[in-house]
């Protein structure tokens, strides 16, 4: 009998030892970031000739999203924009919500990590109970008196990390936390870019409003001239009516720009976390943004995009959850224990003879081996693998979109550089044509319709020049955003008013 007991304990010890050996062994697949087809260089690199100091070099992708980006908007050298960015960082509600989501993820992570440690509980108090005669192996009609039991007990439980179920859950929670932090940085970067874009859009509308203000002034002077000639009998009333129509149209178009500016101002207020009725921004016409960002950028800047980092962390979390799903096919081991005192009276509760205890691991079916569940575990594993494959596809798609956005903005800036120069020539030419047409009309060489056409062309060319300046500013912001931020050390080029070239011509026309 003694030999049998020894063999039994040896068997149990061997089983327990073998279970402890596999404790912490993960069943999750070995995680590796999926390959993506990286281009050797941006396509736009071949379209632009840069100095050697401006050219970047590509390297094998290494995650560096956590690198601090700095206040990249200071590259525009605009104190007003700097102040707006600070206000948005302090009060934007979407950013506060994203920060709260990070706190939520960290709290869930803490909950998951708690599985690595045992749980301890303590209790104290009386219970009133009456046991049945059957439970005491007494005849059915036996009177079992009720009794009060006082208990002071402590209990402990611990799940052994067999087959990595707990550790893989912690790894998944860590990846989820990293993903939420990356998404926070994505919201933060989007907010910074949106503030800059709304600011430049507002200034573009101020520049358009300035163009209309000068146009209305010129149309008013033109109306006075036409009215004077009509009073002298040199022209018919038809020219007066046409002049009034052009003045009214210019004023109406100016009001349209004013409506757009008001809406843009309200949008900016919301980004700053303010009520639209409490925010007003003084008019300040846009000046061209001429910041040279080299297209041959190192790939590390592209890797710093927080949305790509979030997609990569989602893959890591899904990979770990495959291990959690696999571990459900294997035994789980819970070690439990409790000890304390139990007595019928409070005075005898802490007597040594009142002590009680219960120890595992094999008490109360601590070792559980799954046998049949109707395919639930198989379905959970298939679901975990499908989620991982989905996250892999989302990651690769995000990388493709990132390269597209960089290429889009690089090509925009390259073409806009030439387009703005061409449009400046158009502004000068249209102003000259308007000046000549007005002179010829005064001399009676042409009719007033020619003057109207020339002035309309001037207005349209000036508005286009202003709008191109706005597109150039927002494209610069978009490129910085596509690169994941940064660029705080880029030099600021000198800027000239968007329609400065036309001011002298306008002045000469107005003086006539």
């Amino acid at each position: 009998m003694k030999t049998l007991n020894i063999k039994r304990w040896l068997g149990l010890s061997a089983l327990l030892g073998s279970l402890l050996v596999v404790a912490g062994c993960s069943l999750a697949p070995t995680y590796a970031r999926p390959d993506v087809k990286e281009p050797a260089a941006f396509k736009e690199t071949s379209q632009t000739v840069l100095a050697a100091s401006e050219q970047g070099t590509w390297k094998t992708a290494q995650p560096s999203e956590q690198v601090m980006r700095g206040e990249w908007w200071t590259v525009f050298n605009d104190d007003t924009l700097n102040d707006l960015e600070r206000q948005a960082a302090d009060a934007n509600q979407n950013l506060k919500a994203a920060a709260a989501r990070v706190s939520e993820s960290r709290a869930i992570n803490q909950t998951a990590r708690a599985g690595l440690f045992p749980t301890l509980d303590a209790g104290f108090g009386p219970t009133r109970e009456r046991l049945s005669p059957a439970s005491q192996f007494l005849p059915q009609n036996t009177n079992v008196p009720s009794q009060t039991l006082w208990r002071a007990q402590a209990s402990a439980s611990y799940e052994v990390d067999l087959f990595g179920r707990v550790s893989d859950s912690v790894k998944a929670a860590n990846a989820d936390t990293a993903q939420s932090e990356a998404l926070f940085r994505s919201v933060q970067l989007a907010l910074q870019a949106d503030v800059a874009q709304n600011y430049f859009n507002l200034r573009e509308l101020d520049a358009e409003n300035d163009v209309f203000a000068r146009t209305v002034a010129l149309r008013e002077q033109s109306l006075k001239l036409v009215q004077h000639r009509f009073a002298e009998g040199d022209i018919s009333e038809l020219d007066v009516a046409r002049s009034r129509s052009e003045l009214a149209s210019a004023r109406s178009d100016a009001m349209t720009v004013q409506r757009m500016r008001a809406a843009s101002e309200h949008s900016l207020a919301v980004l700053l976390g303010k009520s639209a009725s409490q925010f007003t921004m003084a008019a300040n016409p846009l000046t061209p943004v001429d910041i040279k960002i080299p297209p041959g950028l190192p790939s590390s800047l592209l890797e710093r995009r927080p949305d790509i980092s979030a997609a990569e962390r989602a893959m890591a979390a899904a990979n770990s959850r495959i291990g959690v799903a696999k571990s459900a096919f294997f035994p789980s081991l819970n070690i439990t224990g409790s000890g304390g005192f139990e007595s019928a009276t409070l005075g005898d509760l802490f007597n040594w003879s009142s002590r009680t205890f219960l120890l595992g691991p094999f008490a109360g079916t601590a070792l559980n081996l799954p046998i049949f569940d109707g395919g639930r575990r198989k379905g959970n594993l298939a679901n975990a693998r499908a989620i991982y494959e989905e996250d892999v596809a989302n990651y690769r798609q995000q990388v493709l979109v990132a390269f597209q956005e960089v290429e889009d903005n690089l090509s925009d800036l390259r073409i806009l550089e030439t387009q703005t120069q061409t449009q400046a020539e158009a502004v000068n030419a249209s102003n000259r044509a308007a000046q000549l047409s007005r002179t010829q009309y005064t001399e009676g060489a042409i009719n007033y319709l020619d003057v109207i056409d020339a002035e309309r062309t001037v207005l349209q060319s000036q508005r286009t020049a202003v709008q191109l300046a706005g597109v150039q500013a927002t494209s610069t912001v978009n490129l910085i955003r596509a690169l994941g931020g940064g660029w705080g050390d880029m030099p600021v080029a000198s800027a000239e008013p968007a329609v400065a070239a036309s001011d002298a011509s306008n002045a000469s026309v107005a003086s006539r």
Side-chain angles (χ1 to χ4, degrees):
M1 179 65 69
K2 184 176 181 180
T3 303
L4 180 61
N5 289 336
I6 293 175
K7 290 182 178 180
R8 182 178 299 172
W9 279 106
L10 288 175
L12 293 175
S13 300
L15 176 60
L16 180 60
S18 62
L19 292 175
L20 293 176
V21 168
V22 299
C25 295
S26 175
L27 297 177
T30 301
Y31 176 70
R33 193 174 296 103
D35 295 331
V36 293
K37 296 181 179 179
E38 295 182 1
F42 285 119
K43 182 173 65 175
E44 286 297 317
T45 303
S46 61
Q47 305 290 334
T48 306
V49 179
L50 296 172
S53 60
E54 296 177 318
Q55 296 177 356
T57 57
W58 284 91
K59 64 180 183 60
T60 302
Q62 296 293 331
S64 56
E65 186 276 334
Q66 69 277 12
V67 176
M68 296 300 293
R69 293 165 182 76
E71 298 180 345
W72 56 263
W73 54 88
T74 57
V75 66
F76 297 104
N77 196 26
D78 191 315
D79 293 336
T80 302
L81 176 59
N82 297 342
D83 182 59
L84 293 176
E85 293 286 359
R86 284 191 291 269
Q87 293 183 48
D90 292 337
N92 181 267
Q93 298 305 306
N94 287 335
L95 190 62
K96 290 182 181 296
R101 287 192 291 271
V102 173
S103 298
E104 293 171 11
S105 180
R106 289 174 177 172
I108 295 174
N109 189 1
Q110 182 179 356
T111 302
R113 289 182 61 82
L116 296 173
F117 306 95
T119 60
L120 301 175
D121 298 289
F124 171 80
T127 59
R128 182 72 174 171
E129 62 181 19
R130 182 184 183 279
L131 301 178
S132 67
S135 65
Q136 304 300 309
F137 302 100
L138 297 175
Q140 183 65 32
N141 295 325
T142 303
N143 182 26
V144 179
S146 301
Q147 60 179 340
T148 299
L149 289 178
W150 288 84
R151 291 186 178 90
Q153 293 182 334
S155 61
S157 63
Y158 176 68
E159 180 182 355
V160 179
D161 188 19
L162 296 181
F163 308 101
R165 192 197 72 80
V166 178
S167 59
D168 283 336
S169 296
V170 173
K171 290 178 183 178
N174 290 338
D176 286 338
T177 300
Q179 180 189 13
S180 68
E181 291 170 350
L183 291 175
F184 169 79
R185 285 187 285 269
S186 182
V187 172
Q188 186 179 48
L189 178 60
L191 171 63
Q192 294 166 352
D194 287 344
V195 169
Q197 289 173 339
N198 274 263
Y199 171 69
F200 286 127
N201 181 63
L202 196 63
R203 291 188 59 188
E204 175 199 326
L205 293 172
D206 286 338
E208 285 195 57
N209 201 30
D210 190 53
V211 169
F212 275 110
R214 293 198 303 271
T215 299
V216 168
L218 289 174
R219 298 283 169 85
E220 289 174 345
Q221 295 178 16
S222 177
L223 177 59
K224 291 178 181 179
L225 174 63
V226 172
Q227 288 175 332
H228 176 72
R229 294 193 64 192
F230 173 69
E232 294 293 330
D234 295 336
I235 58 174
S236 67
E237 187 180 357
L238 179 60
D239 287 351
V240 177
R242 286 171 174 167
S243 181
R244 289 184 185 276
S245 175
E246 289 301 307
L247 175 59
S249 295
R251 286 173 174 169
S252 177
D253 291 341
M255 293 176 188
T256 299
V257 173
Q258 292 168 6
R259 288 192 297 105
M260 295 171 61
R261 187 194 188 280
S264 180
E265 188 178 65
H266 300 161
S267 297
L268 184 57
V270 173
L271 290 174
L272 302 181
K274 297 181 178 180
S275 171
S277 59
Q278 298 175 336
F279 177 74
T280 302
M281 187 170 173
N284 183 18
L286 177 68
T287 54
V289 173
D290 188 18
I291 300 175
K292 304 296 183 182
I293 297 180
L297 299 171
S299 62
S300 60
L301 291 180
L302 183 59
E303 294 156 10
R304 288 165 58 187
R305 283 179 57 123
D307 54 346
I308 293 179
S309 178
E312 187 274 330
R313 288 292 83 197
M315 281 191 304
N319 185 79
S320 295
R321 290 193 172 96
I322 293 176
V324 175
K326 284 184 177 180
S327 67
F329 288 86
F330 297 89
S332 62
L333 175 63
N334 289 286
I335 300 177
T336 61
S338 64
F341 298 90
E342 186 178 86
S343 174
T345 62
L346 181 61
D348 296 332
L349 179 61
F350 293 102
N351 292 338
W352 183 246
S353 59
S354 299
R355 69 188 184 278
T356 180
F357 67 89
L358 175 67
L359 297 178
F362 297 106
T365 65
L367 183 64
N368 294 308
L369 178 64
I371 297 177
F372 177 75
D373 62 2
R376 180 182 293 109
R377 287 165 295 149
K378 184 177 180 181
N380 289 338
L381 178 58
N383 179 65
R385 285 172 171 163
I387 291 175
Y388 174 76
E389 293 299 327
E390 177 186 2
D391 289 337
V392 170
N394 289 336
Y395 171 77
R396 287 174 170 158
Q397 179 66 20
Q398 197 64 49
V399 172
L400 293 175
V401 170
F403 278 102
Q404 175 196 346
E405 290 176 351
V406 173
E407 292 283 4
D408 287 347
N409 289 286
L410 284 174
S411 62
D412 283 348
L413 290 172
R414 174 179 59 82
I415 297 171
L416 281 168
E417 184 176 5
T418 304
Q419 189 176 6
T420 52
Q421 296 173 358
T422 303
Q423 188 60 35
E425 296 174 0
V427 170
N428 292 332
S430 63
N431 273 293
R432 179 57 178 166
Q435 180 183 359
L436 293 174
S437 65
R438 186 176 294 275
T439 300
Q440 293 176 6
Y441 174 73
T442 304
E443 296 173 352
I446 60 175
N447 59 41
Y448 195 65
L449 285 176
D450 295 326
V451 177
I452 291 175
D453 289 339
E455 289 181 346
R456 287 176 179 172
T457 302
V458 170
L459 176 59
Q460 183 59 45
S461 62
Q462 289 180 346
R463 287 193 69 185
T464 301
V466 169
Q467 291 168 354
L468 286 176
V471 173
Q472 191 172 39
T474 54
S475 294
T476 303
V477 173
N478 282 334
L479 177 57
I480 297 173
R481 178 177 180 174
L483 295 169
W487 297 104
D489 57 346
M490 294 297 294
V492 180
S494 60
E496 298 294 336
V499 291
S502 65
D503 288 346
S505 299
N506 286 336
S508 64
V509 174
S511 65
R512 295 189 62 87

